Coordinates of all heavy atoms in Angstrom, one line a residue:
L535 N 4.1 8.6 7.8 CA 5.0 8.4 6.7 C 4.3 8.1 5.4 O 3.6 7.0 5.3 CB 5.9 7.1 7.1 CG 6.8 7.2 8.3 CD1 7.5 5.9 8.6 CD2 7.8 8.4 8.2
D536 N 4.4 9.0 4.5 CA 3.7 8.8 3.2 C 4.4 7.8 2.4 O 5.6 7.8 2.2 CB 3.6 10.1 2.4 CG 2.5 11.0 2.9 OD1 1.5 10.5 3.5 OD2 2.6 12.2 2.8
I537 N 3.7 6.8 1.9 CA 4.2 5.8 0.9 C 3.8 6.2 -0.5 O 2.6 6.3 -0.8 CB 3.6 4.4 1.2 CG1 3.8 4.0 2.6 CG2 4.3 3.4 0.3 CD1 2.8 3.0 3.1
Q538 N 4.7 6.6 -1.4 CA 4.4 7.0 -2.7 C 4.1 5.7 -3.5 O 5.0 5.1 -4.0 CB 5.5 7.8 -3.3 CG 5.7 9.2 -2.7 CD 4.5 10.1 -2.7 OE1 3.9 10.2 -3.8 NE2 4.1 10.6 -1.7
T539 N 2.8 5.4 -3.6 CA 2.4 4.2 -4.3 C 2.5 4.4 -5.8 O 2.5 5.5 -6.4 CB 1.0 3.8 -3.9 OG1 0.1 4.9 -4.3 CG2 0.9 3.6 -2.5
A540 N 2.6 3.2 -6.5 CA 2.9 3.3 -8.0 C 1.6 3.0 -8.8 O 0.8 2.1 -8.4 CB 4.0 2.2 -8.3
P541 N 1.5 3.6 -10.0 CA 0.4 3.3 -10.9 C 0.3 1.9 -11.2 O -0.8 1.3 -11.3 CB 0.7 4.2 -12.1 CG 1.5 5.3 -11.5 CD 2.4 4.7 -10.5
Q542 N 1.4 1.2 -11.4 CA 1.4 -0.2 -11.8 C 0.8 -1.1 -10.7 O 0.4 -2.2 -10.9 CB 2.8 -0.7 -12.2 CG 3.8 -0.7 -11.1 CD 4.7 0.6 -11.3 OE1 4.1 1.6 -11.6 NE2 6.0 0.5 -10.9
N543 N 0.8 -0.6 -9.4 CA 0.2 -1.3 -8.3 C -1.2 -0.7 -8.0 O -1.7 -1.0 -6.9 CB 1.1 -1.2 -7.1 CG 2.4 -1.9 -7.3 OD1 2.5 -3.0 -7.9 ND2 3.5 -1.3 -6.8
R544 N -1.7 0.0 -9.0 CA -3.1 0.6 -8.8 C -3.1 1.5 -7.6 O -4.2 1.6 -6.9 CB -4.2 -0.4 -8.8 CG -4.1 -1.3 -10.1 CD -5.3 -2.3 -10.3 NE -6.4 -1.5 -10.9 CZ -7.5 -1.3 -10.3 NH1 -7.7 -1.7 -9.0 NH2 -8.5 -0.6 -10.9
L545 N -2.0 2.2 -7.3 CA -1.9 3.2 -6.2 C -2.2 2.6 -4.9 O -2.8 3.2 -4.0 CB -2.7 4.4 -6.5 CG -2.3 5.2 -7.8 CD1 -3.3 6.3 -8.0 CD2 -0.9 5.7 -7.8
Q546 N -1.9 1.3 -4.7 CA -2.0 0.6 -3.4 C -0.5 0.3 -3.0 O 0.3 0.0 -3.8 CB -2.8 -0.7 -3.5 CG -4.3 -0.5 -3.6 CD -4.9 -0.1 -2.2 OE1 -4.2 0.0 -1.2 NE2 -6.3 0.0 -2.2
P547 N -0.3 0.3 -1.7 CA 1.1 0.0 -1.2 C 1.4 -1.5 -1.4 O 0.5 -2.4 -1.3 CB 1.0 0.3 0.3 CG -0.4 0.3 0.7 CD -1.2 0.7 -0.5
V548 N 2.6 -1.8 -1.6 CA 3.1 -3.2 -1.7 C 4.3 -3.3 -0.7 O 5.0 -2.3 -0.4 CB 3.5 -3.6 -3.1 CG1 2.3 -3.6 -4.0 CG2 4.6 -2.8 -3.7
P549 N 4.7 -4.5 -0.3 CA 5.8 -4.7 0.6 C 7.1 -4.0 0.2 O 7.8 -3.4 1.0 CB 5.9 -6.2 0.7 CG 4.5 -6.7 0.6 CD 4.0 -5.8 -0.5
D550 N 7.4 -4.0 -1.1 CA 8.7 -3.4 -1.6 C 8.7 -1.9 -1.3 O 9.8 -1.3 -1.2 CB 8.9 -3.7 -3.1 CG 9.4 -5.1 -3.3 OD1 9.7 -5.8 -2.3 OD2 9.3 -5.6 -4.5
D551 N 7.5 -1.3 -1.2 CA 7.5 0.1 -0.9 C 7.9 0.4 0.5 O 8.3 1.5 0.9 CB 6.1 0.7 -1.1 CG 5.6 0.6 -2.6 OD1 6.4 0.7 -3.5 OD2 4.3 0.5 -2.7
L552 N 7.8 -0.6 1.4 CA 7.9 -0.4 2.8 C 9.1 -1.1 3.5 O 9.4 -0.8 4.6 CB 6.6 -1.0 3.5 CG 5.3 -0.3 3.2 CD1 4.1 -1.2 3.2 CD2 5.1 0.8 4.2
R553 N 9.7 -2.0 2.8 CA 10.6 -2.9 3.4 C 11.8 -2.2 4.0 O 12.3 -2.5 5.1 CB 11.2 -4.0 2.4 CG 11.5 -5.3 3.0 CD 11.8 -6.3 2.0 NE 10.7 -6.6 1.1 CZ 9.7 -7.5 1.4 NH1 9.7 -8.0 2.6 NH2 8.8 -7.7 0.5
A554 N 12.2 -1.1 3.4 CA 13.4 -0.3 3.9 C 13.0 0.7 4.9 O 13.9 1.4 5.5 CB 14.2 0.3 2.8
M555 N 11.7 0.9 5.2 CA 11.3 1.9 6.1 C 11.2 1.4 7.5 O 10.9 0.2 7.8 CB 9.9 2.4 5.7 CG 9.9 3.1 4.3 SD 8.1 3.4 3.8 CE 7.7 4.7 5.0
D556 N 11.4 2.3 8.5 CA 11.2 1.9 9.9 C 9.8 2.5 10.3 O 9.6 3.8 10.2 CB 12.3 2.5 10.8 CG 13.6 1.8 10.5 OD1 13.6 0.6 10.3 OD2 14.7 2.5 10.6
F557 N 8.9 1.7 10.9 CA 7.6 2.2 11.2 C 7.0 1.3 12.3 O 7.4 0.1 12.4 CB 6.7 2.4 10.1 CG 6.5 1.1 9.3 CD1 5.5 0.2 9.6 CD2 7.3 0.8 8.2 CE1 5.3 -1.0 8.9 CE2 7.1 -0.3 7.4 CZ 6.1 -1.2 7.8
E558 N 6.1 1.9 13.1 CA 5.5 1.1 14.1 C 4.0 0.7 13.8 O 3.4 -0.1 14.5 CB 5.4 1.9 15.5 CG 6.7 2.0 16.2 CD 7.8 2.9 15.5 OE1 7.4 3.9 15.0 OE2 9.0 2.5 15.5
G559 N 3.5 1.2 12.7 CA 2.2 0.9 12.2 C 2.0 1.1 10.8 O 2.7 1.9 10.1
L560 N 1.1 0.4 10.2 CA 0.7 0.6 8.8 C -0.8 0.7 8.7 O -1.5 -0.2 9.2 CB 1.2 -0.6 7.9 CG 0.6 -0.6 6.5 CD1 1.1 0.6 5.6 CD2 1.1 -2.0 5.8
M561 N -1.3 1.7 8.0 CA -2.7 1.9 7.8 C -3.0 1.7 6.3 O -2.3 2.3 5.4 CB -3.2 3.3 8.2 CG -4.5 3.8 7.5 SD -6.0 3.1 8.3 CE -6.0 4.1 9.8
V562 N -3.9 0.8 5.9 CA -4.3 0.6 4.5 C -5.8 0.8 4.4 O -6.5 0.7 5.4 CB -3.9 -0.9 4.0 CG1 -2.4 -1.1 4.2 CG2 -4.7 -1.9 4.7
A563 N -6.2 1.1 3.2 CA -7.6 1.3 2.9 C -8.0 0.5 1.6 O -7.3 0.7 0.6 CB -7.9 2.8 2.7
S564 N -9.1 -0.3 1.7 CA -9.4 -1.0 0.5 C -11.0 -1.4 0.7 O -11.3 -2.1 1.6 CB -8.6 -2.3 0.5 OG -9.1 -3.2 -0.5
P565 N -11.8 -0.8 -0.2 CA -11.5 0.1 -1.3 C -11.0 1.5 -0.7 O -11.3 1.9 0.4 CB -12.9 0.4 -2.0 CG -13.7 -0.8 -1.6 CD -13.2 -1.2 -0.2
A566 N -10.1 2.1 -1.6 CA -9.4 3.3 -1.1 C -10.1 4.5 -1.5 O -10.8 4.6 -2.5 CB -8.0 3.3 -1.6
N567 N -9.9 5.5 -0.7 CA -10.3 6.9 -1.0 C -8.9 7.7 -1.2 O -8.1 7.7 -0.3 CB -11.0 7.6 0.1 CG -11.4 9.0 -0.1 OD1 -11.2 9.6 -1.2 ND2 -11.8 9.7 0.9
P568 N -8.6 8.2 -2.4 CA -9.5 8.6 -3.5 C -9.6 7.7 -4.7 O -10.3 8.1 -5.7 CB -8.9 9.9 -3.9 CG -7.4 9.7 -3.8 CD -7.3 8.8 -2.6
T569 N -8.9 6.6 -4.7 CA -8.8 5.9 -6.0 C -9.9 4.9 -6.3 O -10.1 4.5 -7.4 CB -7.4 5.1 -6.0 OG1 -7.4 4.2 -4.9 CG2 -6.3 6.1 -5.8
G570 N -10.5 4.3 -5.2 CA -11.5 3.2 -5.3 C -10.8 1.9 -5.6 O -11.6 0.9 -5.8
T571 N -9.5 1.8 -5.6 CA -8.8 0.5 -5.8 C -8.8 -0.4 -4.6 O -8.9 0.2 -3.5 CB -7.4 0.7 -6.4 OG1 -6.6 1.4 -5.4 CG2 -7.4 1.4 -7.7
M572 N -8.6 -1.7 -4.8 CA -8.7 -2.6 -3.6 C -7.5 -3.5 -3.6 O -6.8 -3.7 -4.6 CB -10.0 -3.5 -3.8 CG -11.3 -2.8 -3.7 SD -12.8 -3.7 -3.4 CE -12.6 -5.1 -4.6
L573 N -7.2 -4.0 -2.4 CA -6.2 -5.0 -2.2 C -6.9 -6.4 -2.2 O -7.9 -6.6 -1.5 CB -5.6 -4.9 -0.8 CG -4.7 -3.6 -0.6 CD1 -4.5 -3.4 0.9 CD2 -3.4 -3.7 -1.3
D574 N -6.4 -7.4 -3.0 CA -6.9 -8.7 -2.9 C -6.3 -9.5 -1.8 O -5.5 -8.9 -1.0 CB -6.7 -9.4 -4.3 CG -5.3 -9.6 -4.7 OD1 -4.4 -9.5 -3.8 OD2 -5.0 -9.9 -5.9
T575 N -6.7 -10.7 -1.6 CA -6.3 -11.5 -0.5 C -4.8 -11.6 -0.4 O -4.1 -11.4 0.6 CB -6.9 -12.9 -0.5 OG1 -8.3 -12.9 -0.6 CG2 -6.5 -13.7 0.7
A576 N -4.1 -11.9 -1.6 CA -2.6 -12.0 -1.6 C -2.0 -10.7 -1.2 O -1.0 -10.7 -0.5 CB -2.2 -12.5 -3.0
A577 N -2.5 -9.6 -1.8 CA -1.8 -8.3 -1.6 C -1.9 -7.9 -0.1 O -1.0 -7.4 0.5 CB -2.4 -7.3 -2.5
M578 N -3.1 -8.1 0.5 CA -3.3 -7.7 1.9 C -2.5 -8.7 2.8 O -1.9 -8.2 3.7 CB -4.8 -7.8 2.3 CG -5.0 -7.3 3.7 SD -6.8 -7.1 4.2 CE -7.2 -5.6 3.3
G579 N -2.5 -9.9 2.5 CA -1.7 -10.9 3.2 C -0.3 -10.6 3.3 O 0.4 -10.7 4.3
A580 N 0.3 -10.1 2.1 CA 1.7 -9.8 2.1 C 2.0 -8.6 3.0 O 3.1 -8.5 3.7 CB 2.1 -9.5 0.6

C-alpha cells in the first residue's frame, strides 16, 4: 500500500497519512532512499 507522503513532512509518512487505511504492517526507512530524510524520535514514536 503506497503512502503518498507530503513535501511538508519531508516525504516521510505521518500517522494522518495512515489512520484511515487498513493494513497489517508498516515499513519505514530512516534515513530514506531516495530522499535521505529521517524520522526523529517523536515522528517514529507516533
Side-chain angles (χ1 to χ4, degrees):
L535 297 178
D536 282 334
I537 310 159
Q538 292 299 312
T539 58
Q542 60 266 31
N543 297 322
R544 307 190 79 245
L545 299 177
Q546 285 281 2
V548 298
D550 285 348
D551 296 331
L552 292 152
R553 215 173 295 279
M555 299 172 65
D556 292 323
F557 55 88
E558 283 72 41
L560 169 64
M561 162 78 78
V562 301
S564 173
N567 176 11
T569 63
T571 61
M572 297 196 309
L573 295 164
D574 62 18
T575 302
M578 184 172 286

